[in-house]
């Protein structure tokens, strides 16, 4: 039993080392420009270990992408909790919009989530993975709005998907604009107007 635990710990350590080594490489140079030999060397493991743990570069990138998505969700959830979402869920949603746009403006997150992920994984898989994290958080906020009577009772999940789509497109628009500050302000205003339109 002890041997199995040790092997499991070694496996977890190797996977963590590969993700930690690959993340800054993908963020600075992009998925296509980084080779598996370079990642393995940076992680201090063999190329065979990379393929054993992830099957290849794409699945390693998925692990990096999911790690970043988890961090985004935790940051937004922590911000919503600190802002008193239960007292004013609509204000919390507006705060979340601003926080999302701020997070996506960070170079590492912008590059991995908005640029490299759709290019490396294809649009469908990028959306599938991203929505596995973002929709859950948005659903909670939308459910809070329904429970508070701020918006009419309605199926929460489809509305959450629509809002997540708008948030992602807004972040893409702002991130690729020549004047990011102005673009961020513009899309934030558009998103706030969109959610305000849901008010009963």
């Amino acid at each position: 039993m002890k041997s199995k635990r040790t092997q499991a710990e070694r496996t977890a350590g190797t996977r963590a080392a590969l993700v930690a080594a690959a993340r800054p490489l993908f963020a600075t140079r992009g998925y296509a420009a980084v080779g598996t030999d370079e990642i393995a060397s940076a992680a201090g493991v063999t190329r065979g270990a990379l393929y054993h743990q992830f099957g290849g570069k794409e699945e390693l990138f998925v692990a990096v992408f999911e790690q970043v998505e988890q961090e985004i969700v935790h940051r937004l959830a922590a911000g919503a909790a600190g802002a008193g979402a239960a007292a004013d869920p609509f204000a919390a949603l507006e705060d979340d919009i601003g926080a999302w746009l701020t997070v996506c403006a960070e170079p590492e997150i912008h590059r991995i989530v908005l640029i490299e992920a759709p290019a490396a994984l294809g649009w469908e898989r990028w959306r599938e993975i991203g929505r596995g994290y973002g929709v859950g958080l948005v659903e909670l906020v939308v459910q809070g709005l329904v429970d508070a009577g701020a918006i009419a009772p309605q199926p929460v999940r489809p509305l959450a998907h629509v809002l997540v789509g708008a948030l992602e497109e807004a972040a893409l628009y702002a991130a690729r604009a020549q004047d990011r500050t102005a673009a961020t302000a513009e899309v934030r205003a558009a998103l706030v107007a969109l959610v305000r339109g849901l008010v009963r």
Side-chain angles (χ1 to χ4, degrees):
M1 189 63 122
K2 184 177 179 181
S3 175
K4 288 185 178 179
R5 284 198 300 270
T6 301
Q7 179 60 38
E9 290 170 358
R10 279 200 299 267
T11 296
T14 299
R15 290 178 67 87
L18 284 162
V19 170
R23 180 168 170 168
L25 293 172
F26 290 145
T28 56
R29 292 186 22 232
Y31 176 82
V34 178
T36 53
D37 285 333
E38 182 179 6
I39 295 169
S41 177
V45 302
T46 66
R47 186 166 175 265
L50 185 156
Y51 279 88
H52 177 71
Q53 296 297 332
F54 292 101
K57 187 170 72 166
E58 182 175 319
E59 291 310 310
L60 173 56
F61 180 82
V62 168
V64 170
F65 178 40
E66 290 187 325
Q67 182 184 76
V68 174
E69 287 281 43
Q70 287 171 0
E71 291 173 7
I72 292 171
V73 168
H74 290 152
R75 287 171 63 177
L76 295 181
D88 189 348
F90 198 88
L93 182 57
E94 291 191 12
D95 288 340
D96 284 342
I97 289 171
W100 163 254
L101 293 172
T102 298
V103 165
C104 288
E106 295 176 13
E108 182 185 57
I109 291 174
H110 160 69
R111 183 75 182 263
I112 290 174
V113 174
L114 300 177
I115 305 300
E116 299 303 325
L121 305 177
W123 187 89
E124 288 186 5
R125 195 172 189 202
W126 170 57
R127 288 291 194 181
E128 178 186 356
I129 294 172
R131 283 175 175 163
Y133 294 95
V135 168
L137 182 60
V138 174
E139 281 183 8
L140 289 175
V141 177
V142 172
Q143 188 63 60
L145 292 171
V146 172
D147 293 344
I151 62 175
Q154 60 189 286
V156 168
R157 179 160 293 178
L159 178 55
H161 276 266
V162 169
L163 292 176
V164 166
L167 287 166
E168 289 178 346
E169 289 302 321
L172 281 167
Y173 175 85
R176 295 185 178 192
Q178 288 187 343
D179 186 342
R180 290 188 182 182
T181 301
T184 298
E186 290 168 354
V187 294
R188 186 184 189 283
L191 289 167
V192 168
L194 177 64
V195 296
R196 284 286 181 189
L198 300 171
V199 176
R200 299 181 74 173

